[in-house]
């Protein structure tokens, strides 16, 4: 399976997701600023992968920080990484985890602090893979055998430390012996579906068919799709789900056609401090992502553009939220906090 991100002696190494699938190139981030830049420019993307990158970025930054100004530099590292992308709560979850650990190490020798932060970043990475396997195990029974699964964006190995959340459910269903294939929505404007999901599934020889986003309704009506499974960037306490823009439309069309729509995400994607999805900050991305395709203009000069990177799917469209601790079903106000508190 593809290595999305790795801690190495030379720095944090990531596969460059802006160049896939044509070019398979790895980028080495040698400073925490490089890691922040990689997150902003989408060299690495996907909520859990962004969290892992932030943890590694902090560990990297602390190796290079001036021991005489460690507290101040630690804060700068954390705030620089926190300013990269606003929607995926895993970023803030990972920074918070590293911050709490750092605070607990106060007074220890700098070498010990540095070693401990590296170990924690590696733990975040390894736990993420185990979490995705558990999400897969909980989600696989929900996938109807012999049918097609529709997914949107990329919630796979490339969006995590490995295995994936939504694609983890698909992988686990196949490992359990189910005969399924995947429809991947292309995911305009950044084309995570066309470029990343299709490539990733092809690497694993999982049958995948690419459709454009506006074909989702046509296929959901056809009776061919057994269920939809997508990832999430942030889930509010009431089960409203922020995920890649276009997810909301898929969810509404799924409900209209009686197709179950599932969300697969780690507990770290829950934001129980938010009452509803209205409170989730939505990232706005550059206009050129909409007006150009691979640098080629497709709209008249000076076209007014909106480019929200995410939308919020209201909880009533979500048949279940698959986590590493089990599946939450409506009413989410009750099931999500209960699941989050489970040991
Ligand atoms: O803008 P991106 O590519 O970071 O958006 C990614 C998504 O919306 C994913 O579906 C989500 O982060 C879940 S990844 C397991």
């Amino acid at each position: 399976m593809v290595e999305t991100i790795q801690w190495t002696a030379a720095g944090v190494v990531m596969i460059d997701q802006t160049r896939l699938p044509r070019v398979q190139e790895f980028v080495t981030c040698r400073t925490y600023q490089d890691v922040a830049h990689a997150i902003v420019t989408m060299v690495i993307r996907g909520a859990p992968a962004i969290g892992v990158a932030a943890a590694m970025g902090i560990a990297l930054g602390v190796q290079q920080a001036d021991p005489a100004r460690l507290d101040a530099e630690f804060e700068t590292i954390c705030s620089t990484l926190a300013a990269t992308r606003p929607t995926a709560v895993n970023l803030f979850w990972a920074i918070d985890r590293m911050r709490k650990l750092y605070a607990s190490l106060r007074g220890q020798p700098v070498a010990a602090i540095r070693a401990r932060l590296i170990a924690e970043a590696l733990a975040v990475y390894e736990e993420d893979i185990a979490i995705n396997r558990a999400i897969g195990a909980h989600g696989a029974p929900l996938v109807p055998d012999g049918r097609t699964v529709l997914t949107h964006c990329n919630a796979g190995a490339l969006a995590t430390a490995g295995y994936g959340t939504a694609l983890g459910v698909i992988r686990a269903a196949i490992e359990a012996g189910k005969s399924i294939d995947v429809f991947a929505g292309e995911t305009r404007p950044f084309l995570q579906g066309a470029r990343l999901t299709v490539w990733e599934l092809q690497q694993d020889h999982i049958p995948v068919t690419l459709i454009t986003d506006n074909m989702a309704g046509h296929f959901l009506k056809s009776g061919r799709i057994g269920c939809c499974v997508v990832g999430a960037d942030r889930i509010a306490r009431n089960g409203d789900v922020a995920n890649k823009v276009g997810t909301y439309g898929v969810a509404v069309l799924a409900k209209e056609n009686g197709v179950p729509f599932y969300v697969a995400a780690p507990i770290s994607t829950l934001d129980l401090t938010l009452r509803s999805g209205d409170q989730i900050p939505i990232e706005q991305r550059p206009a050129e992502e909409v007006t150009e395709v691979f640098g080629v203009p497709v709209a008249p000069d000076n076209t007014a553009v909106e480019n929200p990177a995410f939308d919020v799917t209201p909880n009533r469209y979500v048949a279940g939220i698959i986590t590493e601790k089990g599946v939450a079903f409506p009413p989410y106000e009750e099931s999500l906090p209960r699941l989050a508190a489970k040991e």
Side-chain angles (χ1 to χ4, degrees):
M1 201 179 301
V2 58
E3 284 284 3
T4 304
I5 180 166
Q6 272 178 295
W7 177 271
T8 73
V12 180
V13 177
M14 306 169 183
I15 192 161
D16 186 346
Q17 299 194 34
T18 64
R19 307 206 66 197
L20 283 172
R22 300 276 156 231
V23 180
Q24 291 170 43
E25 192 175 79
F26 289 83
V27 169
T28 302
C29 298
R30 295 176 202 283
T31 65
Y32 77 89
Q33 291 97 332
D34 289 347
V35 174
H37 184 69
I39 297 172
V40 169
T41 56
M42 313 264 279
V43 164
I44 191 157
R45 30 66 49 200
I50 292 171
V52 174
M56 289 189 179
I58 291 170
L60 186 63
V62 168
Q63 309 309 306
Q64 296 161 343
D66 177 356
R69 306 184 56 251
L70 201 53
D71 283 356
E73 291 200 17
F74 185 83
E75 266 322 301
T76 306
I77 294 164
C78 289
S79 56
T80 303
L81 287 158
T84 51
R85 297 190 73 191
T87 305
V89 76
N90 310 59
L91 171 72
F92 307 101
W93 169 87
I95 293 171
D96 200 43
R97 176 165 164 168
M98 297 298 275
R99 231 192 212 124
K100 282 188 181 126
L101 174 67
Y102 180 78
S104 78
L105 298 173
R106 194 152 278 136
Q108 293 201 18
V110 174
I113 294 174
R114 286 179 169 153
R116 190 63 192 80
L117 288 170
I118 293 175
E120 191 71 2
L122 291 174
V124 171
Y125 168 90
E126 268 148 30
E127 284 167 26
D128 188 57
I129 298 175
I131 285 167
N132 293 334
R133 292 238 170 224
I135 290 173
H138 289 297
L142 299 171
V143 177
D145 197 6
R147 305 283 298 282
T148 298
V149 179
L150 175 64
T151 191
H152 186 65
C153 193
N154 173 268
L158 288 167
T160 61
Y163 201 70
T165 56
L167 298 193
V169 170
I170 288 165
R171 287 192 167 96
I174 290 170
E175 285 163 20
K178 289 189 176 173
S179 168
I180 54 173
D181 71 318
V182 179
F183 270 27
E186 66 171 352
T187 318
R188 275 281 289 154
F190 211 73
L191 300 174
Q192 289 94 330
R195 297 190 303 105
L196 308 177
T197 294
V198 171
W199 180 79
E200 179 182 328
L201 293 178
Q202 283 178 349
Q203 300 293 303
D204 277 3
H205 309 289
I206 295 173
V208 56
T209 301
L210 175 64
I211 61 169
T212 63
D213 299 326
N214 49 1
M215 293 174 189
H218 172 79
F219 286 108
L220 283 161
K221 186 147 118 333
S222 73
R224 191 166 165 178
I225 314 285
C227 72
C228 302
V229 188
V230 301
D233 287 83
R234 197 184 291 225
I235 302 173
R237 193 179 184 88
N238 69 344
D240 289 351
V241 174
N243 189 48
K244 178 55 54 195
V245 70
T247 301
Y248 176 28
V250 172
V252 174
L253 288 162
K255 180 139 186 150
E256 165 72 13
N257 291 285
V259 177
F261 176 89
Y262 297 111
V263 173
I267 294 288
S268 56
T269 303
L270 298 182
D271 187 346
L272 299 179
T273 67
L274 302 186
R275 244 178 312 104
S276 81
D278 296 343
Q279 296 172 295
I280 298 175
I282 301 294
E283 176 185 9
Q284 304 293 322
R285 294 202 50 93
E288 294 71 38
E289 289 181 359
V290 177
T291 56
E292 297 175 3
V293 176
F294 294 114
V296 179
V298 291
D301 293 344
N302 304 318
T303 298
V305 170
E306 293 280 352
N307 188 13
F310 304 96
D311 60 23
V312 175
T313 299
N315 58 14
R316 63 182 175 279
Y317 297 106
V318 181
I321 297 175
I322 308 161
T323 77
E324 70 273 29
K325 295 186 179 182
V327 185
F329 294 104
Y332 293 112
E333 282 90 348
E334 290 166 22
S335 59
L336 285 178
R338 202 170 45 234
L339 211 54
K342 197 167 144 190
E343 283 305 314

